[in-house]
Amino acid sequence: MDWRALPRLTLSADGRYESTRYDDDQNTRRLDPGFTADARVTFAVTPQFAVYVAGANLFDAEIETGRTAANVVSYDAPRTV
């Protein structure tokens, strides 16, 4: 979602939901569902140059990205700005 608050200021928000999924081709290693939210503020200094501040995974959700046969879970990146 983007909103142009002022002619040179844009606010953006992004949400992503991932439902239950599996890490392997036999559907035995289940990954939990999760939701992440991102945001960005962009200010156009000139028509050719803009500065921005962005934040990813704002609620610091633990999104599972993989699971080994030994049940070791890997996660997506934590909150970053």
Side-chain angles (χ1 to χ4, degrees):
M1 173 172 47
D2 291 331
W3 178 48
R4 185 160 296 207
L6 299 169
R8 298 188 330 173
L9 180 69
T10 303
L11 307 174
S12 304
D14 211 13
R16 181 180 73 233
Y17 174 76
E18 295 181 10
S19 64
T20 301
R21 61 227 185 271
Y22 295 89
D23 184 64
D24 63 329
D25 58 349
Q26 295 178 347
N27 292 343
T28 58
R29 294 192 303 257
R30 181 177 175 257
L31 300 175
D32 291 337
F35 175 79
T36 61
D38 305 334
R40 179 175 166 145
V41 176
T42 305
F43 183 76
V45 179
T46 69
Q48 296 82 21
F49 180 74
V51 294
Y52 70 90
V53 174
N57 194 5
L58 294 176
F59 303 117
D60 205 22
E62 292 185 343
I63 304 297
E64 294 182 2
T65 58
R67 184 180 300 267
T68 67
N71 210 30
V72 176
V73 179
S74 58
Y75 295 94
D76 198 5
R79 177 186 312 123
T80 55
V81 177

